[in-house]
Each structure stands twice: as structure tokens, then as C-alpha cells.
Amino acid sequence: MHIGCPKEIKPQEFRVGITPIAAQEAVAHGHSVTIETGAGTGAGFSDQDYIAAGATIADTAAEIFASAEMIVKVKEPQSAERKMLREGQILFTYLHLAADRAQTEDLLDSGATCIAYETVTDDRGGLPLLAPMSEVAGRLAPQVGAWTLQKANGGRGVLMGGVPGVGPAKVVVIGGGVVGTQAAKVAAGMGADVTVLDRSLPRLRYLDDVFGGQFKTSYASAGNTMELSQQADLIIGAVLIPGAAAPKLISRAQLAELKPGAALVDVAIDQGGCFETSRATTHEDPIYDVDGIMHYCVANMPGAVARTSTIALGNATMPFMIALANKGWRKACEEDDHLLRGLNVHAGKLTYAAVGKALEIDVLSPVLALKV
Ligand SMILES: NC(=O)c1ccc[n+]([C@@H]2O[C@H](COP(=O)([O-])OP(=O)(O)OC[C@H]3O[C@@H](n4cnc5c(N)ncnc54)[C@H](O)[C@@H]3O)[C@@H](O)[C@H]2O)c1
């Protein structure tokens, strides 16, 4: 199969859909790979790295869209890219269609077969192509939180690990899923005094069994959440209720009960945020002050570490990309129900129920789509 990877054009997106390692793997399976010139630069990969991996370089995205049987990207295709998609072409990337009618309609019009990273599943009920980005955001959260706590940034001026004779920062992580676990591990590694709150007892049991010596756990009742937050220097919001906006766990009025200069890092901002005073910020201007509490609410945290994020995402997408290239999308999806769940659009039909419900568009079952 001929696989193409254009340079990402969404503002502030430095990741790239195919790493040189993934290109090399595809070439080793007998496929050809073309990368748009400069596509890997933001993640630290040169055209030469791709050529060394056996890929070819194209000057424009138009050449890639015109020639490739499968397009592999990171972000949802932008309007100009959508116009270049065609019937029979496979698009493998993040789509997030439920909140994006314009994109959905364009993809339906294109006739392409679109497989969304975010809806591919795994045997443990997880989302294997979302998890790497949650891992990145989780591990980044204490790092940006530590920076936010510095005096020059409006923070309390508390060092995460303390020093001999001075106690460490108190860190509260609300939500002990993928983001929260990674955040707690890194915060504990920095020497902070960490407590993770969750509403799931099985999850708390797991965290206590595996990380009992490194951080504490607490049930996330409203009372516990507030009591621990009042003592915290840094609070990391990492909750998720699948398919719903994040619950607001600290209100504006409650900010007055927190320590002056405390830092809130709201990783759940991409689902609306879990603090009432959260609003999405960018890497250029990541923090702001509400009532003396510093907020960090960057919606695309993994973009700050584009190289790590690209490699992590590439590791997760590569087996699926290779399966799609080796078998064609139909056979690959027929043989792997988890990949079939990634199918969102095929030949002018929507094939993902939740998107159809959100946008009130008729849906063809993905199993029937295999026969179209
Ligand atoms: N800002 C970014 O760049 C970025 C990057 C990746 C993920 N995220 C977001 O981070 C959030 C967490 O993602 P995840 O992958 O860790 O999800 P996850 O499903 O693995 O974990 C979420 C956890 O929150 C818990 N939870 C739900 N409601 C709660 C409540 N009221 N109090 C305490 N715990 C509660 C759940 O039991 C679960 O353990 C999501 O909103 C995700 O979209 C943001």
C-alpha cells in the first residue's frame, strides 16, 4: 500500500503522524511511504531521517493526498485537507467528530474511509490510542504545576520536594485514571507529599496495591476533596466521565478556602475543566490568576513535548497502521473488532453511533459498512 503523511497544519501542532521508525516498519512490510517535506521538523525528525528509513519526501500535501491510498495524521483534517480526500482513500487520525459537524459533513462528502484514533478500543476496555497522550499530559502536569508554584509565576513559592529540614509540597490529584496515576507518580518522584482521589473503589484499591508506598489514596467525596484541597499547594484535575462534560469539583467561592498562591492544573480542561474558574489557555500564555489562585489550563498539553508525544503516539498507532496496510481496511477491521470500533465514516455513511446521536445523523452499523 502507498502510505502518505502530510505536515500538520493546525496552529501550534508540532507532532507528526508517522515517525521514521514507523516508516521503516511499513517499508519492511513491503509498503511505500511518502512524507511531506518538513513534516517531522517540529518533533525533531528531519527529511533525511525519513529517507534513511526508506521513505520518500514530497514537496506538498497535495501530492500526498493525490497519491496515497492511506493518509496517516495526528489532528483532524482541516478544511483545506478535507477537500483533498477522495473516495476509497483511508484516513487514519484523531477525528473527534461528535462536536464538529462541518468536518463530519466534509468527510461524508469525501467518500473516504475514516478511522478515528480516539474510538479504537482494547481488550481491557481502554482506548489505546488516547492513553499515550493521557500518559504524557499526566507526567507533564506536576512539571508545569511545579513551575506555576514558583514566585515569579504568581505561585506560593513552594518547592515540590522541599529540602532537608523543610517539608515537601502537598499535591492533590483528583481522578486516578491514566492521567492521574502518571501525575501522582511523577509528583511523588519529585519528592512531593501526594494524595490521589477517585470515586472508583476498584481503582483506589489498584492504586493502593501498586503504589501504596509512593502516594496516598482517598475516596473523592465532596467533603474529602475540599478538605484535602484546602491543605494543598498544587491540585491536579484529572477526572473523566466518559461522554460527559467534566464535573465542577471546586467552585469559585471555594477558591477563598485554598492556600493563597496555590496552583490548579486542570488537565480535564479539554472536557470543559473540573474547576468552575477554569478556561482553556495556550502554551504561549498558559497561566492566569483568579482570586490569588494560579490556574494552568492548556487544552493540548502533549504539544509542549511534541517529540515525546509523537514517538508515544507512533508506538501505539503503528501496529494498526501496519495491519491496515497489510490487509486493507476491510479485512483488518473484520479480523479486529477493536479496530472496527475506530471506523467513523465509510463511503458517505456515518458508522459510529455516538457521533450520529450527537449530530442527529443516520448511522450505518460498522459491521454492515464492511460489506459496502
Ligand atoms: N489537557 C490535555 O492536554 C489532556 C491530555 C490528555 C487527556 N486529557 C484529559 O484528562 C482527563 C483524564 O483522562 P484519563 O485518560 O486519565 O481518563 P481515565 O478515564 O483514565 O480516568 C478518569 C478517572 O476519573 C475518575 N473520576 C470520575 N469522576 C470523578 C470525580 N467526581 N472525582 C474523582 N474522580 C473521578 C474516574 O473514576 C477515573 O478513574 C480527561 O478529561 C482527558 O480528556 C487532557
PDB file of all heavy atoms in Angstrom, residues 1 79 151 201 239 250 260:
ATOM      1  N   MET A   1       0.852  -1.197   0.000  1.00  0.00           N
ATOM      2  CA  MET A   1       0.000   0.000   0.000  1.00  0.00           C
ATOM      3  C   MET A   1       0.884   1.242   0.000  1.00  0.00           C
ATOM      4  O   MET A   1       1.968   1.228   0.573  1.00  0.00           O
ATOM      5  CB  MET A   1      -0.896  -0.014   1.254  1.00  0.00           C
ATOM      6  CG  MET A   1      -1.870   1.152   1.287  1.00  0.00           C
ATOM      7  SD  MET A   1      -2.929   1.125   2.751  1.00  0.00           S
ATOM      8  CE  MET A   1      -4.136  -0.119   2.327  1.00  0.00           C
ATOM      9  N   SER A  79     -10.012  22.081   6.927  1.00  0.00           N
ATOM     10  CA  SER A  79     -10.894  22.241   5.770  1.00  0.00           C
ATOM     11  C   SER A  79     -10.157  22.026   4.445  1.00  0.00           C
ATOM     12  O   SER A  79     -10.628  21.303   3.554  1.00  0.00           O
ATOM     13  CB  SER A  79     -11.537  23.624   5.860  1.00  0.00           C
ATOM     14  OG  SER A  79     -12.243  23.869   4.717  1.00  0.00           O
ATOM     15  N   LYS A 151       7.460  31.663  42.554  1.00  0.00           N
ATOM     16  CA  LYS A 151       7.028  33.003  42.934  1.00  0.00           C
ATOM     17  C   LYS A 151       6.801  33.912  41.723  1.00  0.00           C
ATOM     18  O   LYS A 151       5.810  34.637  41.638  1.00  0.00           O
ATOM     19  CB  LYS A 151       8.101  33.603  43.856  1.00  0.00           C
ATOM     20  CG  LYS A 151       7.578  34.552  44.885  1.00  0.00           C
ATOM     21  CD  LYS A 151       6.647  33.891  45.880  1.00  0.00           C
ATOM     22  CE  LYS A 151       5.783  34.971  46.529  1.00  0.00           C
ATOM     23  NZ  LYS A 151       4.591  34.434  47.142  1.00  0.00           N
ATOM     24  N   LEU A 201     -13.850   2.691  43.776  1.00  0.00           N
ATOM     25  CA  LEU A 201     -13.125   1.912  44.795  1.00  0.00           C
ATOM     26  C   LEU A 201     -12.170   0.897  44.180  1.00  0.00           C
ATOM     27  O   LEU A 201     -11.041   0.754  44.652  1.00  0.00           O
ATOM     28  CB  LEU A 201     -14.112   1.226  45.747  1.00  0.00           C
ATOM     29  CG  LEU A 201     -14.683   2.150  46.835  1.00  0.00           C
ATOM     30  CD1 LEU A 201     -15.724   1.399  47.655  1.00  0.00           C
ATOM     31  CD2 LEU A 201     -13.594   2.704  47.734  1.00  0.00           C
ATOM     32  N   VAL A 239     -10.052  14.197  36.180  1.00  0.00           N
ATOM     33  CA  VAL A 239     -11.241  13.333  36.177  1.00  0.00           C
ATOM     34  C   VAL A 239     -11.762  13.159  34.758  1.00  0.00           C
ATOM     35  O   VAL A 239     -11.515  13.979  33.879  1.00  0.00           O
ATOM     36  CB  VAL A 239     -12.378  13.907  37.059  1.00  0.00           C
ATOM     37  CG1 VAL A 239     -11.919  14.087  38.487  1.00  0.00           C
ATOM     38  CG2 VAL A 239     -12.890  15.209  36.497  1.00  0.00           C
ATOM     39  N   ILE A 250     -14.391  22.190  42.250  1.00  0.00           N
ATOM     40  CA  ILE A 250     -14.082  23.323  43.128  1.00  0.00           C
ATOM     41  C   ILE A 250     -14.749  24.561  42.515  1.00  0.00           C
ATOM     42  O   ILE A 250     -14.502  24.895  41.356  1.00  0.00           O
ATOM     43  CB  ILE A 250     -12.555  23.541  43.265  1.00  0.00           C
ATOM     44  CG1 ILE A 250     -11.891  22.306  43.902  1.00  0.00           C
ATOM     45  CG2 ILE A 250     -12.262  24.803  44.075  1.00  0.00           C
ATOM     46  CD1 ILE A 250     -10.386  22.415  44.108  1.00  0.00           C
ATOM     47  N   PRO A 260      -3.424  30.738  49.677  1.00  0.00           N
ATOM     48  CA  PRO A 260      -3.100  31.797  48.707  1.00  0.00           C
ATOM     49  C   PRO A 260      -1.899  31.373  47.854  1.00  0.00           C
ATOM     50  O   PRO A 260      -0.907  30.863  48.387  1.00  0.00           O
ATOM     51  CB  PRO A 260      -2.735  32.993  49.593  1.00  0.00           C
ATOM     52  CG  PRO A 260      -3.325  32.690  50.928  1.00  0.00           C
ATOM     53  CD  PRO A 260      -3.368  31.200  51.061  1.00  0.00           C
TER      54      PRO A 260
END
